[in-house]
Amino acid sequence: VNGSAREVQTVLGPVEDSALGFVLVHEHVAASSAGILRSWPAIYGGRTALTDRAVEILSRARAAGVQSIVDCTTFDLGRDVELLAEVSARSGVTIIAVTGLWLDPSVTLRARSVEQLAELFVYELTDGIDGTGIRAGAIKIATEAAVDPVGGRILHAAALACMATNAPIITHTAAQHRSGELQAALLEEHGVDPARVAIGRSDDSREIDYLTRLADRGYWLAMDRIPNGALPEYGGQSVADRIDMIARLVAAGHANRILIGHDDPAWAGLLGDEDQRRRRASNPRSLTFISDVVLPAFGSRGIGSDVITKITVDNPRRWLSAA
Ligand SMILES: [Zn+2]
């Protein structure tokens, strides 16, 4: 590798990092539970309807400037890479799938050792997922307020897989408990380079020192559920607060550490029907919210187009490819 163009694995095969363009780093076509998409299509209106709906959402995002998304759906969130490949091909949006695990590993996964879990993650990054040959391009992990033994094994395995393949990590945190700091301590203990790691849910935090200290250590700050500020169950940070925090981070010199996303699935099966309706009502723009609302708001806060390009294009390219 000569240091200029680097390959990133997508659901339609490897691409040069320079082809990624505007990247949303934390999205989902569908987020539910392992096996649900295949075994119970009636619960989400059937596979054709879901695929069409996802294609429509991503096509609108594409028209609004979005070129790539990281689909952060792990095995335990019901990942289906053939669905992702079809949606990517039909919408024209590049999709990067993930390995790793979220907060709902099955009994079988909970019984595995660090080495076994790392073997699974590396297999999905290098050989492919579900026998398809479609390779993961990133590793997702999740930590709430504390790390239990299973969560510790998953995190350690993700660290080993990151170091073996140089794949990027994106995390779910409970930002009000500053769990990004806990993740950072454990990942560094296992030898991971902070520049490979995006600390997610960072826009849930109201504490700028939590964010600036992580940025100073070299971590990416994934401000990745911005429209959810409209709903009370996602904490006290409103949409305006989340945009303001990004502006404060830029003013503090951290524009080169910020990543962005919605985390707004086309089908959020892990939520009940009423919560899904409320969620759709609170963000009818779906994956054009950042293009339609957030980027114009940046402009009115004095954030120039050079910084917007950094946040939407340059930073995710550097995080995904290590270029
Ligand atoms: Zn998510």
Side-chain angles (χ1 to χ4, degrees):
V1 176
N2 62 17
S4 52
R6 302 227 188 178
E7 272 188 357
V8 172
Q9 298 301 323
T10 83
V11 296
L12 298 180
V15 301
E16 285 193 2
D17 64 353
S18 57
L20 294 172
F22 179 166
V23 184
L24 300 170
V25 300
H26 183 166
E27 308 299 347
H28 304 268
V29 167
S32 58
S33 301
I36 291 288
L37 286 187
R38 297 273 172 177
S39 55
W40 197 5
I43 195 62
Y44 55 84
R47 195 168 175 97
T48 302
L50 173 62
T51 307
D52 289 349
R53 176 170 160 70
V55 168
E56 190 239 310
I57 287 170
L58 282 181
S59 298
R60 278 194 286 120
R62 183 69 191 81
V66 173
Q67 289 161 277
S68 302
I69 65 168
V70 182
D71 186 298
C72 289
T73 310
T74 49
F75 174 82
D76 56 328
L77 281 168
R79 183 190 54 197
D80 184 326
V81 287
E82 288 178 319
L83 173 68
L84 300 185
E86 181 178 352
V87 169
S88 178
R90 285 175 52 191
S91 66
V93 172
T94 299
I95 300 181
I96 294 147
V98 299
T99 186
L101 287 164
W102 181 69
L103 297 166
D104 193 19
S106 63
V107 172
T108 302
L109 288 165
R110 296 171 68 85
R112 302 276 73 80
S113 67
V114 169
E115 291 72 23
Q116 288 174 319
L117 291 168
E119 191 178 321
L120 169 64
F121 299 163
V122 169
Y123 178 72
E124 294 189 334
L125 289 159
T126 57
D127 280 5
I129 296 167
D130 297 342
T132 61
I134 294 172
R135 292 164 59 179
I139 307 165
K140 167 82 174 282
I141 53 171
T143 302
E144 294 284 44
V147 177
D148 66 7
V150 175
R153 287 201 292 280
I154 293 169
L155 188 145
H156 191 175
L160 294 177
C162 171
M163 290 186 291
T165 64
N166 208 29
I169 293 175
I170 185 164
T171 78
H172 161 103
T173 62
Q176 69 275 24
H177 298 290
R178 300 174 70 112
S179 47
E181 292 173 342
L182 183 56
Q183 291 172 336
L186 292 170
L187 289 168
E188 283 176 47
E189 187 182 307
H190 298 313
V192 172
D193 176 358
R196 305 307 302 126
V197 182
I199 303 294
R201 299 280 179 262
S202 288
D203 55 317
D204 285 355
S205 178
R206 303 192 224 198
E207 301 172 89
I208 193 167
D209 74 294
Y210 164 66
L211 301 175
T212 56
R213 286 180 200 178
L214 286 168
D216 285 338
R217 291 165 69 179
Y219 290 93
W220 299 99
L221 304 173
M223 311 299 274
D224 58 1
R225 60 174 172 190
I226 297 179
N228 287 320
L231 290 169
E233 62 265 41
Y234 294 105
Q237 284 279 88
S238 68
V239 170
D241 291 339
R242 290 166 200 258
I243 294 169
D244 284 340
M245 183 62 91
I246 294 171
R248 291 169 67 195
L249 289 167
V250 170
H254 295 293
N256 60 352
R257 288 284 120 195
I258 297 168
L259 304 169
I260 203 162
H262 303 83
D263 189 21
D264 196 351
W267 183 57
L270 69 182
L271 301 177
D273 293 350
E274 178 54 26
D275 283 339
Q276 287 189 65
R277 266 192 296 277
R278 291 174 52 248
R279 195 171 164 132
R280 278 197 295 275
S282 78
N283 178 27
R285 296 174 190 272
S286 193
L287 299 197
T288 68
F289 185 86
I290 286 172
S291 299
D292 292 347
V293 177
V294 178
L295 300 186
F298 283 172
S300 69
R301 284 163 174 79
I303 298 176
S305 61
D306 54 332
V307 172
I308 290 175
T309 301
K310 196 173 273 189
I311 291 171
T312 57
V313 178
D314 301 334
N315 292 350
R317 179 183 57 75
R318 288 166 54 212
W319 168 63
L320 284 164
S321 72

